Amino acid sequence: MNGRSSPNEPFPAGSNSDKSVLQHGFKITTRKLPILKAGPIDQMTAELGIAPPEMIFGDNVASIEHLESGWRIDFNAFDALDLVDKTGNSMLQVAHSKEWQSTREKKHEGITEVVKPFDWSYSTHYKGTEKAAPKALEPSNNPIPLELLKRPDPIIFFDEVMLYEDEMADNGITLLSCKLRVMPARLLLLCRFFMRLDGVMLRIRDTRIYVEFQTGEVIREYTAREDKYEVVRQ
């Protein structure tokens, strides 16, 4: 039993699907559950104002929390999708877009519900949902110390959490996922948006969260790259 009275209800927060580890005052938690059912998907569609991806893991989450200060950062599907362009101004203007839109139209007794224009690649610049107490992350020029991450330190905790995925009407793939690894002295979380539109382009947007346990320093780094499909294949 999962505590839900209906299969269309979302899983409750803090369910027995949570996995967590406590390290030097930081609590690291992941939750991995099945894709949403029809009820929660309809609710999310109404709240977001856009048609959702084919596979949406709306109950999944990856989070890092500093227990003493109350600072916390979460990565979840809803907040990521809420940053997708809903105006259509960033929509990829290629022949595949019409094909994709036709797959999202709903037909009820001969009446077609047309999907409003939006970025059908579900591209997001999501950097996490931050709860700041007493203060948030501040601008910094400090890079993530890659040399420390290259050390063969034992991994205390590792997990990968899928947030959403769509095959773009069989013309490619777009997905958002998180990978998290915790070592004795530090941790690294990578939230990656990846999009491949076959024959057109590739796009990667990465958010990395680095924590050094001894100093309590948290570094967030965001990078975005994209190029034409043929250039990447060369």
Side-chain angles (χ1 to χ4, degrees):
M1 297 294 290
N2 55 39
R4 297 186 299 170
S5 59
S6 165
N8 282 334
E9 292 183 6
F11 283 81
S15 72
N16 56 12
S17 297
D18 287 10
K19 294 168 57 179
S20 64
V21 62
L22 186 62
Q23 191 76 351
H24 298 278
F26 284 88
K27 184 178 181 181
I28 301 95
T29 304
T30 59
R31 182 188 307 144
K32 296 195 292 186
L33 292 166
I35 60 175
L36 290 185
K37 301 293 185 179
I41 287 178
D42 289 343
Q43 180 180 351
M44 182 176 287
T45 301
E47 293 177 358
L48 289 173
I50 60 174
E54 291 172 328
M55 290 177 284
I56 180 164
F57 299 85
D59 293 313
N60 286 5
V61 67
S63 71
I64 302 169
E65 180 180 9
H66 186 248
L67 298 179
E68 182 178 351
S69 68
W71 176 86
R72 175 185 177 118
I73 189 164
D74 293 340
F75 291 84
N76 65 82
F78 182 90
D79 291 341
L81 288 168
D82 201 30
L83 294 178
V84 171
D85 174 45
K86 303 172 186 178
T87 66
N89 293 333
S90 300
M91 186 169 65
L92 296 173
Q93 300 296 330
V94 295
H96 300 308
S97 63
K98 292 183 179 180
E99 180 181 350
W100 176 90
Q101 185 164 334
S102 68
T103 68
R104 291 301 192 275
E105 293 178 350
K106 298 180 180 180
K107 295 186 178 180
H108 304 283
E109 298 180 356
I111 301 176
T112 300
E113 179 182 337
V114 179
V115 178
K116 295 180 180 179
F118 69 94
D119 181 6
W120 64 292
S121 74
Y122 297 103
S123 295
T124 180
H125 56 273
Y126 184 52
K127 303 177 183 68
T129 304
E130 189 182 2
K131 176 185 176 183
K135 63 179 182 179
L137 293 174
E138 299 175 349
S140 171
N141 293 322
N142 294 340
I144 291 176
L146 298 179
E147 291 304 317
L148 293 179
L149 291 171
K150 292 178 181 178
R151 293 179 178 179
D153 296 333
I155 296 177
I156 299 173
F157 180 84
F158 175 84
D159 210 351
E160 182 173 6
V161 180
M162 181 65 68
L163 298 179
Y164 64 78
E165 182 177 344
D166 193 283
E167 294 184 350
M168 306 176 78
D170 294 327
N171 291 301
I173 190 168
T174 181
L175 61 86
L176 182 70
S177 65
C178 292
K179 288 184 179 180
L180 195 152
R181 60 184 171 111
V182 181
M183 289 75 72
R186 56 194 58 88
L187 73 81
L188 180 69
L189 182 150
L190 168 63
C191 183
R192 169 166 289 180
F193 170 81
F194 174 83
M195 187 272 289
R196 186 195 74 241
L197 183 55
D198 293 339
V200 180
M201 69 180 301
L202 282 91
R203 175 179 290 161
I204 296 176
R205 296 175 178 176
D206 287 343
T207 297
R208 289 177 172 85
I209 305 294
Y210 172 86
V211 178
E212 185 69 28
F213 293 133
Q214 185 174 3
T215 63
E217 182 181 27
V218 178
I219 300 175
R220 175 168 58 185
E221 180 181 274
Y222 174 78
T223 58
R225 296 168 289 163
E226 66 178 64
D227 214 328
K228 295 180 180 179
Y229 188 81
E230 290 300 323
V231 172
V232 177
R233 289 191 62 186
Q234 292 176 358

